[in-house]
Amino acid sequence: MSRIVIENGMILSLDEAGTYHESGTVVVENDRIVEIKGAGHAYEKRPGDEVIDATDKIVMPGLIDLHYHTAIGKGFNDHMPLWEYLDECWYPLIRALDPEAAYWAALASYTESVKSGATTVNDMYRQLNSLAQAAEDIGIRAVLSNDVASPEHDLDSLQDNYDAYQANHGKANGRIEVRIGIEWLPLASPGLLREARAMANDLKTGIHVHLNESKTEVDFCLEKFGKRPTELAYETGLLGPDTIAAHCVWLSDREIEMMAETGTPISHNPNSNAKLGNGIARVPEMIAAGINVGLGHDAVECNNSADMFEVMKYASLLQRASRVDASLMQAKDVLRMATNNGAKALGHETGQLSVGRKADIILVETNSAIFTPLLRDTPVHMTSHLVFASNGSVVDTSIIDGNIVMRGRKLTRVDEGQIVREANAAFRRIKDKMVVKRSQAA
Ligand SMILES: [Zn+2]
């Protein structure tokens, strides 16, 4: 039995009661949190315990990146609107992808994520066997899904997704899961959406889909199907508590009702939406309707950072700026979107520090100008720094599923230098292989 004892830390549990200990101890046994104690409460130290001194560090749940794509070509063709970008960059790259390139691209992506505090990624991409291997190797919690589209688009099929599920779901102590992924509705048919739902139900797994990301997508669906994207998803049974709907920037009032009625959680990805010129999602209306909204970075090809601290800040600032209202999206609520809400959306026992929950924990260094001044007895002050002042470099240690995957900002299970070299070589090779075919969907 392996135990980790994290002592002397500021414990920001983000549980329902908002429990905070200015100085305390968290004990992890195997993959679970077994004890959380404030100062003065003794715990039994045992021989063989791995002790982490968390003096000056915040001990908090890891961040959950609810909409994610492994990325291979960050910063390449960086100026295009979504439609053009997909045709000229994203699809050609992922069509040229091979298993080895996918493995190194995933490791590079997961490296950036772990180093900026994410402990879970909800990753829609291709070559899932490679992604699962990368997740297993680095130690991150990964929910994987394919880029499924109708056959003429030369992406993945439901059979690919089924095979990936059979090969990988439940691997690594359940740390790796596989869902059914639908790329987006312009590349699908109503029949494909119904089959995707049936397959998800058969496998007792969830769905991951892009919905209402851009105005172009809505216009295209109206033209092709006579319906808006979320209307079609609703009618074909795609929505539900087990479906993560990504983006949802262009939702009508009726579509917001459909999301609420079906209990569909939404991943809000403000940085990607801003960079691609897609607009600002109606998050206050979603929350008012009772929808569970989490946060995602999307992909570094359209962000260009996987840093969830940046995503939290954008999520708040864009709403405040566009609605001229500084009371919107307060730090304490945004932090829960990136932790509690993401975990709930995925049905995971993570996203908060509570006894019995899975041990996905990060330690944040506060002995720096970024966290100065800090009222250690005032958690709301700490929360403000986490959302508005920080960036991913404040994360010192990451524990995922009870394993220390980063300590002192050094990854413990993989060689970061090798990952950087191999991911660079993979991009060069795939870029030289890619073929740009214009406007398959338009
Ligand atoms: Zn996406």
Side-chain angles (χ1 to χ4, degrees):
M1 187 188 306
S2 74
R3 291 211 329 162
I4 302 169
V5 177
I6 307 163
E7 55 183 19
N8 307 319
M10 294 170 267
I11 302 171
L12 188 66
S13 73
L14 299 177
D15 64 0
E16 284 84 359
T19 308
Y20 172 70
H21 299 289
E22 196 177 329
S23 177
T25 305
V26 177
V27 182
V28 172
E29 210 165 270
N30 298 324
D31 59 348
R32 304 262 168 188
I33 297 167
V34 295
E35 250 185 282
I36 301 177
K37 292 279 194 317
H41 294 271
Y43 62 92
E44 182 203 345
K45 228 177 215 173
R46 298 181 196 161
D49 281 354
E50 173 89 49
V51 177
I52 298 177
D53 179 13
T55 300
D56 293 333
K57 294 181 179 64
I58 300 168
V59 182
M60 60 177 279
L63 305 176
I64 293 167
D65 196 333
L66 194 56
H67 180 59
Y68 194 103
H69 307 279
T70 278
I72 192 166
K74 169 162 58 176
F76 178 58
N77 281 346
D78 211 349
H79 56 288
M80 296 175 175
L82 179 62
W83 199 264
E84 217 180 317
Y85 168 75
L86 288 173
D87 273 346
E88 301 212 358
C89 183
W90 173 265
Y91 292 140
L93 278 176
I94 65 173
R95 285 186 189 115
L97 200 69
D98 58 42
E100 202 198 342
Y103 174 76
W104 293 111
L107 270 180
S109 301
Y110 300 160
T111 294
E112 190 175 349
S113 292
V114 169
K115 294 196 83 175
S116 51
T119 49
T120 299
V121 295
N122 185 32
D123 186 1
M124 178 197 287
Y125 206 58
R126 310 191 71 190
Q127 305 281 357
L128 264 53
N129 295 344
S130 300
L131 270 58
Q133 190 61 55
E136 193 165 356
D137 290 350
I138 196 169
I140 202 165
R141 189 179 301 282
V143 182
L144 308 174
S145 54
N146 282 83
D147 266 312
V148 175
S150 296
E152 64 271 25
H153 301 296
D154 191 21
L155 293 170
D156 291 334
S157 66
L158 282 175
Q159 184 66 45
D160 294 328
N161 213 152
Y162 180 86
D163 294 343
Y165 177 95
Q166 296 298 351
N168 301 294
H169 187 78
K171 259 188 180 171
N173 192 38
R175 185 156 58 71
I176 293 158
E177 293 167 53
V178 177
R179 289 186 165 220
I180 307 301
I182 291 288
E183 164 62 7
W184 62 336
L185 273 49
L187 304 195
S189 64
L192 180 70
L193 302 181
R194 288 195 183 89
E195 283 174 43
R197 166 45 76 193
M199 181 175 285
N201 288 353
D202 282 350
L203 297 175
K204 296 187 173 51
T205 192
I207 292 171
H208 186 185
V209 60
H210 295 103
L211 273 178
N212 299 52
E213 178 176 3
S214 62
K215 185 165 182 308
T216 322
E217 176 189 345
V218 175
D219 292 344
F220 187 86
C221 283
L222 283 168
E223 195 179 308
K224 183 173 175 186
F225 305 114
K227 292 178 180 66
R228 298 170 64 86
T230 293
E231 292 171 349
L232 182 63
Y234 179 83
E235 280 182 25
T236 52
L238 203 69
L239 303 183
D242 58 354
T243 294
I244 309 294
H247 300 301
C248 303
V249 179
W250 294 86
L251 290 183
S252 66
D253 289 350
R254 177 70 191 118
E255 289 178 303
I256 288 179
E257 281 170 23
M258 289 169 167
M259 292 290 186
E261 182 195 319
T262 52
T264 307
I266 290 174
S267 178
H268 173 45
N269 318 298
N271 309 51
S272 163
N273 299 154
K275 179 169 183 251
L276 294 172
N278 283 329
I280 302 173
R282 299 169 65 197
V283 177
E285 285 82 358
M286 295 173 185
I287 293 169
I291 297 167
N292 178 28
V293 183
L295 297 177
H297 92 285
D298 198 358
V300 292
E301 277 127 347
C302 47
N303 186 316
N304 295 6
S305 155
D307 188 337
M308 288 292 288
F309 287 87
E310 280 187 12
V311 173
M312 289 195 285
K313 185 169 181 172
Y314 259 74
S316 179
L317 265 48
L318 289 181
Q319 298 295 335
R320 292 177 180 205
S322 62
R323 298 180 186 224
V324 199
D325 184 351
S327 73
L328 292 173
M329 305 287 279
Q330 296 184 15
K332 61 181 173 43
D333 302 319
V334 174
L335 195 57
R336 286 187 182 271
M337 291 170 80
T339 53
N340 298 174
N341 294 11
K344 188 177 169 209
L346 292 166
H348 286 179
E349 297 175 276
T350 60
Q352 58 174 276
L353 305 187
S354 300
V355 170
R357 291 240 174 185
K358 288 273 193 172
D360 286 14
I361 303 168
I362 57 173
L363 272 57
V364 169
E365 179 59 69
T366 67
N367 187 17
S368 71
I370 288 176
F371 276 87
T372 303
L374 178 63
L375 301 169
R376 291 175 181 238
D377 56 355
T378 310
V380 71
H381 193 219
M382 184 176 288
T383 306
S384 168
H385 288 340
L386 285 167
V387 171
F388 293 123
S390 297
N391 60 61
S393 72
V394 300
V395 181
D396 176 85
T397 296
S398 176
I399 297 167
I400 305 175
D401 211 37
N403 300 304
I404 300 171
V405 303
M406 179 172 76
R407 194 161 183 181
R409 294 200 58 70
K410 188 175 173 8
L411 300 175
T412 60
R413 299 160 60 124
V414 287
D415 176 346
E416 189 176 342
Q418 183 193 14
I419 291 169
V420 168
R421 284 191 303 278
E422 297 285 358
N424 267 317
F427 175 55
R428 169 71 64 184
R429 187 159 54 77
I430 297 304
K431 189 176 81 63
D432 291 347
K433 239 170 62 176
M434 74 187 234
V435 180
V436 177
K437 292 185 275 185
R438 294 282 165 138
S439 282
Q440 289 225 346

